[in-house]
Amino acid sequence: MIALFLRFMHYLFCGKAKEKERYAKNWPEISRRYRARKRWTCERCKVNLKRNRNLLHCHHRNRNPRDNRRRNLRALCIVCHSQQAGRGHRQIRRQAVKNGNWAKIQRIRTR
């Protein structure tokens, strides 16, 4: 019961309302530079997304969005990113299916 309460409190104070505050102000630039350094290729499944850059995300390995050291970052396609541990990653899949990007990346991966 206490664990449930603590999870609820964590969500309440660290949830979507504070999502943007959790990232560094220059996060879009950090992410773009890292993905470019990896040549727009998913580090897990090796799909190249140079022509579809919006389908490649920059993932924090330790789930701390303020820890932007290179060793903590990983370029992942939306499919691989959605398979990472953590509540927020399931949302990636739902959104990608909804907007058609899931099917698009599956076609790219099978080329």
Side-chain angles (χ1 to χ4, degrees):
M1 190 67 155
I2 292 174
L4 182 62
F5 173 76
L6 291 175
R7 274 193 297 205
F8 173 73
M9 294 305 288
H10 176 76
Y11 175 77
L12 188 63
F13 293 105
C14 301
K16 287 290 182 190
K18 302 205 179 230
E19 185 79 19
K20 292 195 188 279
E21 295 173 20
R22 294 175 33 207
Y23 287 87
K25 289 185 183 204
N26 62 338
W27 170 245
E29 181 61 21
I30 292 168
S31 173
R32 189 200 62 75
R33 283 184 182 177
Y34 184 81
R35 291 176 294 139
R37 179 181 297 270
K38 297 301 176 180
R39 293 181 163 80
W40 305 99
T41 300
C42 178
E43 292 183 67
R44 187 167 177 232
C45 72
K46 309 301 183 205
V47 66
N48 185 289
L49 294 167
K50 189 171 185 174
R51 292 185 180 167
N52 297 278
R53 294 177 179 183
N54 64 312
L55 301 180
L56 188 68
H57 292 180
C58 197
H59 170 69
H60 290 90
R61 291 177 184 210
N62 68 3
R63 296 196 276 176
N64 177 357
R66 289 240 176 233
D67 185 356
N68 296 316
R69 296 172 294 167
R70 279 191 205 149
R71 69 179 182 214
N72 186 46
L73 300 177
R74 203 164 175 208
L76 298 175
C77 70
I78 58 172
V79 173
C80 293
H81 196 192
S82 71
Q83 294 168 348
Q84 300 302 302
R87 179 185 65 213
H89 296 109
R90 283 177 272 164
Q91 182 64 27
I92 294 168
R93 181 181 180 133
R94 274 187 239 122
Q95 186 63 34
V97 168
K98 185 177 177 181
N99 65 23
N101 286 336
W102 192 266
K104 187 175 187 177
I105 199 164
Q106 294 294 9
R107 285 191 304 273
I108 295 167
R109 288 172 101 189
T110 57
R111 287 183 193 163

